[in-house]
Amino acid sequence: CAQLGVDETTGGLLNGTVPRRLDVTYEGEGAGGDGLRRAWFSEVTKEMGDRDFGLFSTAGEQTLQPNPNSAAYQSDHLAHFALLGRIAGLALYHQEPLDFPFSPAFLYVAFGYEIAFDVLATFAPDVYSSLKELLTMSADELETMCLNFEVDGEEALVYEVSSKRRRATELKPGGADEPVTVANVKQYLRLYARHRLLGAIEPQVRAFRAGLGVFFKEEILSNLRTCCSVAELQLLLCGAAAIDVDDWKGSTVYDPPEYERSSTVTWLWKAVREMTLEERAQLLFFATGSTRPPATGFAHLMGYSGEDLPTEQPFTVTRAAVAGRLPTASTCFNRLYLPEFDSEAQLLRMLRIALTENQGFSEAAVMA
């Protein structure tokens, strides 16, 4: 945390934290570069997204939403959320997708989109349909509902870290004593929507925003909200979940160029087409350090150039010098070193061994 400018106790940013590229090296290894950074992103976010770690809980469609009770699992939970925001900013800066299934509802509040009642139609359609009926009720009907500006249902209880108890929540100061009427029902619905999306996780969102804010000040976030929907933002940050083999193959270059016409390369793409999504992601990670392609497709894979600014680096299949050996890779350059093989069966066997044992990083290629 400290190396990325995050206070490990409070989750706040340390003085002097500025936006800059991140270079990752592992202790005892001399190599560095973009591939190691992508692999590190994957390792760290995988740990933070683990349900047993307690920072996140599963939302709809296997996406992750901050756990309102995260402090009970990790005493330094806010530092973790600030670190995750910092990583999200770094990933966007380097144009490298994160393999982290953020829920759209979390991204909506984390990136500061305006919370209106109608937003619930997207994130909580059943709740939206039920509450929308309040807008058509007469004054007498609302009075019989006995509603006030307080939420005391189970779904709205907020965890109190200090006392380790749950409590009902006022939607505004003095809300427990203010009834919902025709005059203020729209305000009630807007505040309820804010509470539903943000209330129980506001400290976590605030910490995430602090980390994100190193790279994305409010002016930039405002422009981002103007030009991107939440779905587009999710794609930009997390990449494409599906791996389009045609796009992958069509964006690949070969070294030497004539290697494209070899039997080994033909067998490779046949094998990729027959892989499951998980296996394709494993191969992509093996060669690039990322399990997902960029939102804009394989033609825009980013790689190492020795410069501070991100640089496009096409996926490259290189003929290895010695035939019959295990495939290796230089993740910093998105390069797969593929030896020639005598048969399709031999390629499949050696590729499977390489992916299983994850022996893909070629330090010599990076240091050259």
Side-chain angles (χ1 to χ4, degrees):
C1 286
Q3 291 182 346
L4 287 177
V6 175
D7 188 294
E8 296 183 12
T9 302
T10 66
L13 295 181
L14 299 174
N15 291 334
T17 301
V18 296
R20 58 183 177 85
R21 66 173 284 119
L22 174 67
D23 293 312
V24 174
T25 57
Y26 285 89
E27 187 174 356
E29 298 184 8
D34 294 30
L36 287 181
R37 181 182 57 248
R38 290 191 288 266
W40 184 79
F41 281 165
S42 180
E43 291 174 11
V44 173
T45 55
K46 182 179 180 180
E47 178 180 347
M48 286 197 281
D50 190 321
R51 277 66 160 184
D52 293 334
F53 200 62
L55 295 181
F56 287 84
S57 55
T58 304
E61 299 182 358
Q62 297 302 304
T63 59
L64 295 180
Q65 179 81 356
N67 179 5
N69 197 15
S70 58
Y73 289 84
Q74 306 294 332
S75 59
D76 57 350
H77 68 131
L78 295 182
H80 282 87
F81 279 101
L83 178 61
L84 186 57
R86 188 86 161 86
I87 290 173
L90 283 164
L92 288 170
Y93 171 78
H94 289 291
Q95 301 177 45
E96 295 168 349
L98 288 179
D99 185 13
F100 196 93
F102 291 108
S103 72
F106 171 64
L107 291 179
Y108 193 92
V109 295
F111 281 80
Y113 287 87
E114 181 182 359
I115 301 176
F117 171 61
D118 288 344
V119 171
L120 288 182
T122 299
F123 300 123
D126 292 341
V127 173
Y128 174 78
S129 297
S130 176
L131 289 178
K132 190 177 181 181
E133 295 181 8
L134 296 178
L135 293 170
T136 63
M137 290 184 179
S138 65
D140 291 340
E141 289 172 327
L142 280 175
E143 186 176 356
T144 62
M145 296 293 291
C146 298
L147 293 173
N148 53 30
F149 280 73
E150 181 184 46
V151 181
D152 57 6
E154 179 64 25
E155 53 83 22
L157 295 178
V158 177
Y159 192 80
E160 290 184 314
V161 176
S162 58
S163 63
K164 295 188 177 181
R165 300 182 61 183
R166 292 177 177 268
R167 63 175 174 82
T169 305
E170 288 187 325
L171 298 179
K172 59 187 292 190
D177 300 318
E178 181 176 346
V180 177
T181 65
V182 172
N184 63 21
V185 65
K186 289 184 179 180
Q187 181 189 28
Y188 169 80
L189 293 174
R190 177 174 54 80
L191 292 176
Y192 179 88
R194 184 183 187 281
H195 172 79
R196 176 82 184 207
L197 294 180
L198 180 61
I201 59 170
E202 192 161 4
Q204 293 91 328
V205 170
R206 190 162 51 245
F208 181 92
R209 281 181 181 172
L212 180 69
V214 174
F215 276 98
F216 291 86
K217 303 301 183 184
E218 179 52 36
E219 181 180 356
I220 299 176
L221 288 177
S222 178
N223 291 335
L224 188 65
R225 292 191 296 266
T226 299
C227 65
C228 291
S229 67
V230 174
E232 291 167 335
L233 173 62
Q234 187 177 38
L235 186 62
L236 188 66
L237 177 60
C238 303
I243 296 178
D244 186 334
V245 178
D246 290 331
D247 180 40
W248 191 353
K249 181 181 179 182
S251 302
T252 297
V253 298
Y254 300 87
D255 182 17
E258 60 268 20
Y259 198 35
E260 179 179 8
R261 298 186 293 274
S262 69
S263 298
T264 295
V265 168
T266 300
W267 295 331
L268 170 68
W269 290 116
K270 181 182 177 184
V272 173
R273 290 188 184 282
E274 294 173 354
M275 288 178 176
T276 64
L277 176 59
E278 182 179 357
E279 290 169 335
R280 291 175 188 171
Q282 191 177 13
L283 174 60
L284 184 61
F285 181 81
F286 176 82
T288 70
S290 178
T291 59
R292 295 187 175 198
T296 49
F298 279 92
H300 302 284
L301 284 173
M302 307 306 293
Y304 182 73
S305 66
E307 304 294 334
D308 285 343
L309 295 177
T311 303
E312 289 182 1
Q313 211 43 281
F315 187 84
T316 304
V317 176
T318 298
R319 182 169 57 202
V322 181
R325 290 191 175 182
L326 288 176
T328 59
S330 294
T331 56
C332 301
F333 299 101
N334 303 324
R335 188 175 290 261
L336 175 65
Y337 292 91
L338 187 69
E340 292 195 89
F341 295 106
D342 294 330
S343 67
E344 181 179 353
Q346 185 188 25
L347 177 142
L348 289 172
R349 181 171 63 84
M350 300 300 277
L351 186 60
R352 188 173 294 114
I353 292 173
L355 295 182
T356 301
E357 297 183 0
N358 199 22
Q359 296 179 350
F361 185 69
S362 177
E363 181 175 321
V366 175
M367 299 301 290

